[in-house]
Amino acid sequence: MTSPDLTNININKLTELFPSVVTETLDADGNPKRAIDFDLLRQELSDHVVEGPQERYRLDWPGKRAAAFAANAPIAKTLRPVREESVDFDTTQNLFIEGDNLDALKLLQESYLGKIKLIYIDPPYNTGNDFVYNDDFAETTDEYLLRSGQTDESGASLVANPESNGRFHSDWLSMLYPRLKLARNLLTDDGVLVISIDDNESANLRKIGDEIFGTGNFVAQVAVQVNPRGRHLDRFVAKTHESLMIFVRNSAAESITGIAKEGRMADEYQRSDDGGPFRLLGLRNRNQAFNPQTRPNLYFPLYVEPSTGRVSTELTAEFHVEVFPDAPDGTQTCWTWGRERILRDNALLTAETTGAEWRIFRKDYLYGVDGKVAKTLVKSVWLDGEFTNDYGRKAVKDLFGGAVMDFPKSPQLMKRLLEIAAGPECIILDFFAGSSSMAHAVMMANLEDGGRRQFVMVQLDEHTDPNSTAADAGYSTIAELSRERIRRAGASVAESAGLAETDLDIGFRSLHVDSTNMADVLRSPDATDQLTLTELETSVKPDRSGEDLLFQVMLDWGLELTMEIAIEQIDGQEVFVVEDGALIACFDSTVKPELVRTIAEREPLRAVFRDSSFASDDARINAEQVFRELSPATDVKAI
């Protein structure tokens, strides 16, 4: 009966916006309570690196503040379409983005904010060497020792045994931390993040995942047997598994749905009645801490009708077989349910006998009353032979005729993730695409269940090893090889589908991360003379096409990059029509008044032109006036 605790309310709001700033402190009585780490909050709200010496319980490393800053810092880049690399550019709903995934994630923040159901990544494992994602905060050993306080500016040691191996952990964490922060923004409320990882960084990954997503949104660390033989270099214990670290955006949402397919149902769910598939679980309680003194209400006999196996709590003419909850060794135990629960849910009980001994079971149904999976079949250890790296290599060899990729993930493993976390109408993102096994799995899953899942693959333009099979086959970058994998996998899936699946999407729009399309025309008056004014007349770089500009405008307006694009010729000018009028754009060097009126009469939601296309400021103002008269709801922009 008090007024609301506004502090707790504000902490709840900040927890939703910035889960990484929530920490714990002790109250006056020494009990832990939630609190806000104001140093981290300052960093979230700052456009520069914020220093803060406060010690706290968290994972720290040299460069963490710079990594957090990198996640929030804006970039002057865009995504440029490349039609010749694409498949079914005009109709596909899939994307392949070539470039640094940190840039790509920033560019996707508006268009795909809260729209991705499943994010899967297989980041480079930390093997104690430099890796290809060399962000600005990666550093040399000397820089690391200086920044971590192990040496002074002259290089003299400040500790007995300077430890330089931490540099690789710091570089790896600094690489992944901003990417995970940006990825979280893209997830739907019931979205799922799955990360493949080995033992080198699994402990650190769990800590930064808890910080970014909140400890309550950690689901599990699933062990997947990927190499049944183990590696010959392993000492003491042959490592046959890798881990899948699973987080959800919101633990209150139904994010992991289990597997309801017949082919994936566990053997114990093969029984069935009017309630659907079920398994039998023994009603006898095996908790060793329970005894007649601690749980006297759970010790009583039950009675069975022998002809039907029905169960009752009372002795009658029908229910005359008496069953005590005794253990096989003669020790007394108890039931899992009490009398009230048995009376309420008696229809869920059944008895079976093997000779003279009767046992009481409860029916555990696979499906709930709403038809959804009531009991998850997702276990924490996956031993399926199709999930191994050998199967991943076989899938690639079947497509290319040779081992052109190192350690490709099995598409069957990827499909398992789709089954448990991605329904038939959702978007899946993999921003360490590598061999694009996830794209392959998406097309396979859509073929099987008729779904319309979409994929977004992001891969750095990393060069292949010049001595590799891939290089010998003519593939100069991993991204090039990854796109070819999708093409071949799509063709294979289409061949399996036959003519019956004409609307199966096996294409992708290829986009490249590049510098902004806009030219740098910012000059101070004293740095500008009459000769340079002509160079500053246009704000668009000379090598950029109208379609380049269109995609940058779509990013700026937060439009999905797979929207339908029609190119029309109106009054001899090229006009882009996006999603039947969601956006109409013309980027020709000159825009005629007649074209402006024609576009306005179509009443698009948005219209955009090049500022330099208008002969004068008066012409641009007149164009805006035309829209105010004919289509006042249109959002008009000049770039």
Side-chain angles (χ1 to χ4, degrees), residues 517-518 538-541 544-554 556-557 565 567-568 573-578 583-592 595 599 607-614 637-639:
N517 296 312
M518 314 313 294
T538 177
S539 59
V540 177
K541 292 178 180 176
R544 303 303 166 97
S545 68
E547 202 159 61
D548 290 333
L549 296 174
L550 177 68
F551 272 78
Q552 181 155 344
V553 168
M554 291 170 69
D556 290 341
W557 250 315
I565 300 172
I567 303 177
E568 300 181 11
Q573 296 192 269
E574 184 180 61
V575 176
F576 298 94
V577 181
V578 178
L583 166 67
I584 296 182
C586 179
F587 302 110
D588 284 359
S589 58
T590 302
V591 173
K592 302 174 184 176
L595 177 64
I599 293 176
V608 63
F609 307 92
R610 288 177 62 163
D611 186 65
S612 58
S613 298
F614 298 101
K637 181 183 293 186
I639 62 171

Side-chain angles (χ1 to χ4, degrees), residues 19-40:
S20 62
V21 308
V22 180
T23 185
E24 285 188 353
T25 188
L26 298 179
D27 62 17
D29 299 323
N31 299 315
K33 67 175 185 178
R34 288 190 311 163
I36 297 299
D37 185 325
F38 289 100
D39 286 335
L40 292 179

Side-chain angles (χ1 to χ4, degrees), residues 277-350:
F278 66 88
R279 62 179 174 176
L280 294 180
L281 299 178
L283 194 66
R284 185 168 65 85
N285 197 318
R286 301 177 184 273
N287 191 327
Q288 299 299 314
F290 287 6
N291 57 58
Q293 286 71 45
T294 60
R295 294 291 192 275
N297 60 314
L298 297 180
Y299 288 83
F300 53 87
L302 290 175
Y303 301 93
V304 176
E305 182 184 22
S307 61
T308 64
R310 292 190 298 147
V311 179
S312 174
T313 58
E314 297 183 4
L315 175 65
T316 66
E318 291 180 304
F319 297 90
H320 61 270
V321 177
E322 190 174 37
V323 181
F324 282 94
D326 293 334
D329 59 2
T331 59
Q332 196 176 34
T333 182
C334 56
W335 300 120
T336 302
W337 292 358
R339 291 180 184 271
E340 291 184 1
R341 175 74 185 274
I342 289 175
L343 290 173
R344 186 178 75 243
D345 297 330
N346 179 265
L348 297 178
L349 298 182
T350 186

Side-chain angles (χ1 to χ4, degrees), residues 38 62 76 84 123 148 210 218 243 305 313 405 432 450 500 548 551:
F38 289 100
E84 57 270 22
S148 59
D210 284 345
F218 170 74
S243 297
E305 182 184 22
T313 58
M405 296 179 178
F432 286 97
D548 290 333
F551 272 78

Side-chain angles (χ1 to χ4, degrees), residues 321-519:
V321 177
E322 190 174 37
V323 181
F324 282 94
D326 293 334
D329 59 2
T331 59
Q332 196 176 34
T333 182
C334 56
W335 300 120
T336 302
W337 292 358
R339 291 180 184 271
E340 291 184 1
R341 175 74 185 274
I342 289 175
L343 290 173
R344 186 178 75 243
D345 297 330
N346 179 265
L348 297 178
L349 298 182
T350 186
E352 292 187 357
T353 180
T354 55
E357 181 182 345
W358 284 86
R359 294 185 62 193
I360 310 296
F361 298 93
R362 62 183 178 90
K363 298 178 180 179
D364 184 53
Y365 286 95
L366 175 62
Y367 300 104
V369 294
D370 57 358
K372 296 182 179 179
V373 175
K375 303 294 181 183
T376 181
L377 297 182
V378 181
K379 310 298 183 183
S380 60
V381 177
W382 294 1
L383 301 175
D384 194 316
E386 291 188 344
F387 296 167
T388 64
N389 289 339
D390 283 344
Y391 200 88
R393 283 188 287 268
K394 179 181 181 302
V396 171
K397 285 183 178 180
D398 289 345
L399 294 174
F400 287 86
V404 295
M405 296 179 178
D406 295 329
F407 310 112
K409 286 293 186 286
S410 165
Q412 294 297 334
L413 174 60
M414 300 296 98
K415 197 148 72 70
R416 176 71 177 271
L417 296 177
L418 298 176
E419 290 172 350
I420 68 175
E425 303 281 343
C426 64
I427 305 175
I428 297 95
L429 167 66
D430 181 350
F431 55 87
F432 286 97
S435 63
S436 283
S437 291
M438 178 56 79
H440 191 171
V442 167
M443 293 185 287
M444 291 168 59
N446 286 342
L447 173 62
E448 287 188 8
D449 62 12
R452 296 181 179 274
R453 299 172 187 84
Q454 305 170 33
F455 64 75
V456 179
M457 300 289 109
V458 184
Q459 175 56 41
L460 185 70
D461 51 346
E462 174 188 355
H463 289 286
T464 56
D465 186 332
N467 298 319
S468 66
T469 304
D472 291 341
Y475 300 105
S476 59
T477 67
I478 302 297
E480 181 183 354
L481 187 58
S482 190
R483 281 190 296 267
E484 183 61 20
R485 161 74 178 279
I486 301 175
R487 294 188 193 100
R488 297 191 182 208
S492 176
V493 170
E495 183 179 356
S496 301
L499 298 178
E501 298 289 344
T502 55
D503 60 346
L504 185 66
D505 188 354
I506 59 171
F508 60 90
R509 282 182 178 174
S510 182
L511 309 173
H512 286 201
V513 176
D514 206 335
S515 62
T516 177
N517 296 312
M518 314 313 294

Side-chain angles (χ1 to χ4, degrees), residues 161-223:
N161 297 296
E163 187 271 319
S164 62
N165 289 335
R167 174 173 76 87
F168 299 111
H169 292 288
S170 296
D171 286 354
W172 190 88
L173 289 167
S174 291
M175 177 275 295
L176 196 59
Y177 188 77
R179 289 165 171 84
L180 292 184
K181 285 175 66 70
L182 292 167
R184 179 183 178 273
N185 299 335
L186 302 180
L187 285 173
T188 60
D189 187 59
D190 61 346
V192 181
L193 169 71
V194 182
I195 309 172
S196 284
I197 197 67
D198 67 356
D199 290 345
N200 289 320
E201 294 291 355
S202 62
N204 289 333
L205 176 61
R206 170 70 190 276
K207 286 185 172 64
I208 63 173
D210 284 345
E211 180 177 317
I212 293 170
F213 283 81
T215 55
N217 291 322
F218 170 74
V219 174
Q221 184 170 337
V222 175

